[in-house]
Amino acid sequence: MEIIIDNAVPDDIPEIAAIEAESFSDPWRSELFMSELSRDMGIFLTAKKDREIVGYIIGTEDGCSAFIDNIATKKSARREGVGTALMAYFLLGLPKTVESVSLEVRESNIPAQGLYSKFGFKEAGIRKDLYASPRENGIVMIMDLERKKGSETIEKMDDFFAARVDGYDEHMLTEVEGCREAYAEMAKLVPSDTKSLLDLGCGTGLELEGIFERLPHISVTGIDLTKEMLDRLSAKYPDKNITLINGDYFKTDFGQNCFDTAISFETMHHFSHEMKIGLYKKIYQALREDGVYIECDYMVETQEEEDHWYAENARMRGEMGIPENEFYHYDTPCTIENQIKFFLAAGFAKAEKVFQMEGTVIIIAYKNKGDQ
């Protein structure tokens, strides 16, 4: 079901207050929410699914900075991307003069901190005993919006990952919401009769750990642009049947009817629609007739979010004079609906979402209808 983001109105307050009451031990009163509707420089947004309010975000901006006062998701709609959609829409709507956004969060609220970190918020300090019921410190988090002034740069893809290889595993497992769970889920989804596996953008091989536990004798071909990442993967699995290719998977020949299953994990959200469809056609051809492709990637809920990140990427590449055919690291996530359309355009008989935790999504694409 699509998430619809809109400005809050007075009739929304009872539903918003109910979500607040189930989310916080010291909830705001309805009167306070009502007053937020008319506050100067205030931002008050709701998220709806099938006309039901499933979340909200409240904040302010004063021209050069913004503050997020409150954000909550209905319990029954958590881990469905509601918080991600609200945060993205809030940030996208800020004036270009806003240079930073700040918020406060309980020390114990690890899921919320993970969401904020995904958007670039960093811990800036502690406010002792900020919260009551129960009493707890608050973490102050700030996100720099220098991107709005056009002063930032982006790095070459292989340089970006080579520089971060030492902390890559910990980052993916502890800082990217949903990835730890998605690694385990992907391992379960690989068909049990898989003998040969193609792993695109295999990195350090985190996704292979669970797969090798289930299928210890599987033959894996891994492709990645960064040699330093492949060296870590090779060291992890010295006794496994692995062929590693240090190269560009857009240019590498996968062959035809060679693999039972293909996978990728958090690597496809850097490329254009056209590049993805072309790559998916290659994957389709490389799979055997009963093959499946399992993709885990960072995806967004709305077309507005997708359009924004692609526009930002184009702007920065233009400012830096980067040719279209060179790989630079910048996240350009697509909506789940568009990803499914890409698979179908590439020839897959069916594609379906099978897992989602915030922006981390897994889709399975079936080469033939009989494989489902």
Side-chain angles (χ1 to χ4, degrees):
M1 187 70 66
E2 183 182 5
I3 298 174
I4 305 296
I5 309 295
D6 204 353
N7 291 315
V9 297
D11 287 346
D12 296 333
I13 299 304
E15 287 184 82
I16 290 169
I19 296 172
E20 173 83 1
E22 72 174 11
S23 301
F24 302 107
S25 56
D26 189 17
W28 288 15
R29 301 186 309 276
S30 295
E31 295 80 5
L32 184 55
F33 284 116
M34 192 66 73
S35 68
E36 291 290 327
L37 293 173
S38 58
R39 184 163 57 145
D40 290 341
M41 311 300 285
I43 303 168
F44 194 168
L45 304 172
T46 63
K48 294 183 180 180
K49 282 190 173 184
D50 197 22
R51 301 183 180 180
E52 176 190 8
I53 295 177
V54 292
Y56 58 89
I57 186 169
I58 300 173
T60 55
E61 59 89 4
D62 62 6
C64 62
S65 64
F67 182 78
I68 296 174
D69 298 279
N70 203 349
I71 180 172
T73 300
K74 190 171 184 177
K75 282 187 177 180
S76 61
R78 289 175 187 170
R79 296 188 173 181
E80 295 180 4
V82 176
T84 298
L86 282 165
M87 182 67 75
Y89 205 92
F90 179 95
L91 296 173
L92 293 176
L94 292 174
K96 292 186 180 297
T97 55
V98 174
E99 299 177 6
S100 65
V101 184
S102 59
L103 55 84
E104 295 159 346
V105 59
R106 283 182 179 268
E107 281 186 318
S108 62
N109 195 345
I110 303 303
Q113 293 169 37
L115 170 64
Y116 305 147
S117 296
K118 183 176 69 175
F119 279 94
F121 285 87
K122 299 183 184 301
E123 183 175 337
I126 300 291
R127 292 189 61 184
K128 189 171 179 60
D129 295 334
L130 175 64
Y131 296 98
S133 303
R135 186 170 298 280
E136 187 176 353
N137 295 339
I139 297 176
V140 179
M141 302 185 76
I142 297 177
M143 180 176 68
D144 182 13
L145 287 179
E146 284 294 318
R147 63 176 179 83
K148 289 188 177 290
K149 298 189 292 185
S151 62
E152 79 287 17
T153 60
I154 51 178
E155 300 174 60
K156 276 191 171 182
M157 192 80 76
D158 51 345
D159 292 343
F160 178 91
F161 286 106
R164 293 160 176 80
V165 65
D166 288 337
Y168 179 80
D169 286 11
E170 181 179 1
H171 168 71
M172 295 300 291
L173 290 169
T174 63
E175 298 180 20
V176 183
E177 180 77 10
C179 274
R180 180 184 293 273
E181 293 82 358
Y183 284 122
E185 188 65 23
M186 177 173 276
K188 297 175 186 176
L189 292 168
V190 173
S192 59
D193 58 352
T194 298
K195 301 292 191 300
S196 57
L197 180 77
L198 175 64
D199 188 352
L200 301 175
C202 54
T204 63
L206 278 169
E207 68 282 353
L208 293 175
E209 182 176 350
I211 295 172
F212 281 135
E213 288 180 3
R214 282 190 61 228
L215 306 169
H217 303 298
I218 194 173
S219 172
V220 175
T221 297
I223 306 174
D224 199 278
L225 201 61
T226 306
K227 182 180 182 299
E228 291 81 356
M229 304 286 273
L230 293 179
D231 289 343
R232 295 296 175 92
L233 188 157
S234 183
K236 282 182 183 178
Y237 310 111
D239 59 342
K240 297 300 181 182
N241 184 6
I242 304 177
T243 300
L244 296 178
I245 300 172
N246 180 204
D248 173 359
Y249 48 57
F250 287 94
K251 296 179 180 178
T252 302
D253 182 9
F254 304 158
Q256 295 191 7
N257 303 312
C258 299
F259 299 97
D260 300 310
T261 303
I263 63 172
S264 67
F265 198 103
E266 294 283 350
T267 182
M268 296 299 171
H269 58 275
H270 302 117
F271 310 113
S272 69
H273 297 181
E274 295 76 14
M275 292 178 70
K276 286 184 178 183
I277 293 173
L279 180 62
Y280 296 153
K281 288 179 179 179
K282 285 177 56 178
I283 296 171
Y284 178 89
Q285 294 170 352
L287 289 170
R288 297 195 171 97
E289 288 306 305
D290 58 350
V292 297
Y293 169 52
I294 307 170
E295 178 172 300
C296 178
D297 205 22
Y298 166 35
M299 301 181 199
V300 292
E301 293 290 338
T302 68
Q303 188 63 49
E304 290 80 6
E305 294 173 81
E306 177 180 323
D307 292 344
H308 169 78
W309 297 122
Y310 272 92
E312 281 291 283
N313 183 46
R315 176 185 66 77
M316 284 188 285
R317 293 177 74 97
E319 290 176 357
M320 295 175 64
I322 301 171
E324 289 186 7
N325 60 347
E326 290 190 11
F327 295 137
Y328 275 68
H329 183 271
Y330 189 82
D331 290 354
T332 50
C334 293
T335 66
I336 297 168
E337 292 78 9
N338 283 341
Q339 282 295 136
I340 289 175
K341 289 178 183 177
F342 300 157
F343 295 131
L344 300 180
F348 285 92
K350 181 181 177 182
E352 60 181 346
K353 182 187 78 173
V354 295
F355 171 90
Q356 180 175 5
M357 184 175 292
E358 290 295 340
T360 301
V361 178
I362 298 179
I363 296 175
I364 296 184
Y366 302 87
K367 185 167 184 177
N368 289 307
K369 291 183 177 180
D371 306 331
Q372 302 161 35

